[in-house]
Amino acid sequence: MPSDTIAKVQDYKDSLIKKAEQLITQGFPEKIVQLNELLATPMFYERKFSDVHQDLNIPVPDSVLVNNNDGGGDADKPAKRPRTEPPLVSGVKVMYLPTGSVPCNAPLCEMIKIVKPIIRKLVEDSNFLKMWISFMIPKIEDGNNFGVSIQEDTLAEIQTVETEAAAFFDQISRYFLSRAKVVSKVAKYPHIDDYRRAVVELDEKEYLSLWLVVCEVRNRYSSLHDIVTKNMEKLKKPRSSNAEHLY
């Protein structure tokens, strides 16, 4: 392998280690403070559920009165339309809403616009921290693996945080899919109020979930900062230089 390639790889590792240590000592505390300030804003703090309610823009159509005559015979029945040839192009029935499309929940979309970059940053920082610890794991040897086990346990914790953060994205996408299904039920059965109430309950649940996501991201940053700073020496130097003198 060319020497310049080896040198570039080593430079990458050195720069990653330096950036990771700066991220732990400065980046994580700043992020914790930033998330605490965000949770104290009117968008998240003590907000009423009614603030995230939104009209569906699906009106209830007028009721149709049916004239049911007991003595009516076949003469009262409308004449059957003559059978015609099937259309050349077949398809499915399309629901038409006279008032236009059904919008997404604007207050929740505003929250999601803020929360998604926070989730993405946690995924990136977790991946960055995971590579930092991986580079510091020493070669496999017999004995004196206590410090290495600390590295492995910390690495497993970071991987768990990364997986949970990625799952937050899936939670947001599933909300829109679930809401679309319930809204389609409202459009199909506009007279059933339970479907309309289901949309309201789903929006309230998503608001609470978004608040909880920000809290969980803040807690994950706090736990990662705590576990790494407490074990910094063992993470950077897992094996003691005088291990051979221990009894």
Side-chain angles (χ1 to χ4, degrees), residues 78-210:
K80 294 183 178 180
R81 297 178 60 184
R83 182 176 297 178
T84 59
E85 294 295 329
L88 298 178
V89 180
S90 60
V92 297
K93 294 181 179 180
V94 179
M95 197 72 62
Y96 171 73
L97 298 177
T99 55
S101 63
V102 179
C104 298
N105 190 300
L108 291 180
C109 288
E110 184 181 359
M111 293 180 65
I112 291 173
K113 187 178 180 180
I114 295 175
V115 172
K116 286 182 73 174
I118 295 174
I119 301 174
R120 177 180 176 180
K121 189 67 170 64
L122 179 59
V123 174
E124 294 175 350
D125 291 344
S126 301
N127 186 271
F128 200 74
L129 211 60
K130 183 174 64 176
M131 292 303 300
W132 171 64
I133 295 180
S134 300
F135 286 155
M136 291 189 299
I137 295 178
K139 63 180 180 179
I140 300 175
E141 295 179 353
D142 294 332
N144 192 24
N145 290 322
F146 177 70
V148 178
S149 64
I150 293 178
Q151 287 180 326
E152 293 174 347
D153 292 342
T154 306
L155 188 61
E157 179 68 20
I158 296 173
Q159 289 174 338
T160 301
V161 171
E162 184 183 23
T163 302
E164 292 178 353
F168 292 151
F169 275 105
D170 181 62
Q171 173 183 322
I172 293 175
S173 62
R174 282 189 285 108
Y175 156 71
F176 286 107
L177 181 60
S178 300
R179 191 176 192 272
K181 290 181 179 179
V182 181
V183 170
S184 65
K185 289 290 187 179
V186 177
K188 189 174 183 180
Y189 306 103
H191 292 90
I192 301 179
D193 290 337
D194 284 335
Y195 283 131
R196 296 178 182 271
R197 182 57 186 266
V199 177
V200 174
E201 295 291 337
L202 194 63
D203 290 341
E204 293 179 355
K205 177 183 176 182
E206 181 63 15
Y207 161 68
L208 187 61
S209 298
L210 291 173

Side-chain angles (χ1 to χ4, degrees), residues 33-49 51-52 106-119 171-172 203-218:
V33 174
Q34 177 186 351
L35 293 176
N36 279 330
E37 293 176 350
L38 177 63
L39 289 170
T41 59
M43 180 179 292
F44 289 89
Y45 182 69
E46 293 185 352
R47 191 177 188 182
K48 297 180 181 179
F49 283 120
D51 294 340
V52 298
L108 291 180
C109 288
E110 184 181 359
M111 293 180 65
I112 291 173
K113 187 178 180 180
I114 295 175
V115 172
K116 286 182 73 174
I118 295 174
I119 301 174
Q171 173 183 322
I172 293 175
D203 290 341
E204 293 179 355
K205 177 183 176 182
E206 181 63 15
Y207 161 68
L208 187 61
S209 298
L210 291 173
W211 175 86
L212 186 60
V213 164
V214 178
C215 291
E216 287 297 321
V217 171
R218 187 265 321 268

Side-chain angles (χ1 to χ4, degrees), residues 64-73 76-78:
V64 178
L65 297 178
V66 178
N67 187 13
N68 186 10
N69 296 323
D70 295 336
D76 297 331
K77 296 181 180 180

